[in-house]
Amino acid sequence: MRNEADFTSFAEANAIRLRQIAYLMCRDWHLAQDLTQTTLTKMYLAWNRLARQSHDPFGYARKVLLNTLLDHKRLRSSSELTVDQLPDRAEQGGDPTAERLTLLDALEQLPRRDRAIVLLRYWEDQSVESTAEILGLSTSVVKSQSMRALAVLRRHLGDRTLLGGADGDTSATDPRLGAPTGSRTRS
């Protein structure tokens, strides 16, 4: 059975990574911090049960985080303003910060589930099966939605093909984004 010291070690080791995932999903550092704290609270309450069931603590925390975010967005206030057109894109010039912000803006245009699929598959480098399990979806939904989401991202990004070429090759993500790179041999 895990004890409180084990939980403290887990929280200290994984809080930053969880907060980064939350930020990529919601694009708000304050909300990301709140979501991380809520996730860690839920983890603390379930800590002994997780030990008895031999769950991977980080995998479970990531699933709790994504579910917490999706629940939060379902309950969002009606005071948010949506726009029909994207803001002007930054000019292509090789500025990695501008490209990162452009990609984050494009990610924000995706529905939350599609964004979660893209982030898990291409940022966290999860397999289709793992992504499906984390989000409670079938593998076919993960495959089809990830391809549709990548197509939407490519349309938003225009000529910038940060997430693979026009032929659908997603063998690497842009190293300027700090995302994993490597072959995408898992399906």
Side-chain angles (χ1 to χ4, degrees), residues 93-163:
D95 179 11
T97 303
E99 288 181 358
R100 179 183 174 110
L101 292 173
T102 301
L103 179 59
L104 290 174
D105 288 340
L107 279 169
E108 193 172 12
Q109 302 305 313
L110 294 175
R112 281 159 188 75
R113 185 176 73 173
D114 291 354
R115 190 179 325 148
I117 290 170
V118 168
L119 289 173
L120 287 170
R121 288 280 289 131
Y122 303 103
W123 184 273
E124 286 285 310
D125 201 28
Q126 297 292 318
S127 67
V128 170
E129 293 77 16
S130 176
T131 301
E133 182 181 330
I134 290 167
L135 296 175
L137 303 170
S138 70
T139 57
S140 61
V141 168
V142 170
K143 288 178 183 179
S144 64
Q145 290 304 112
S146 65
M147 290 300 105
R148 287 181 186 146
L150 289 176
V152 168
L153 287 175
R154 286 187 189 104
R155 278 196 307 275
H156 285 307
L157 295 171
D159 292 334
R160 300 168 190 235
T161 55
L162 298 176
L163 292 174

Side-chain angles (χ1 to χ4, degrees), residues 19 22-23 26-38 72:
R19 189 171 44 248
Y23 175 75
C26 69
R27 296 284 314 277
D28 178 343
W29 281 114
H30 299 288
L31 179 57
Q33 180 65 33
D34 291 345
L35 293 169
T36 302
Q37 290 300 319
T38 300
H72 173 78

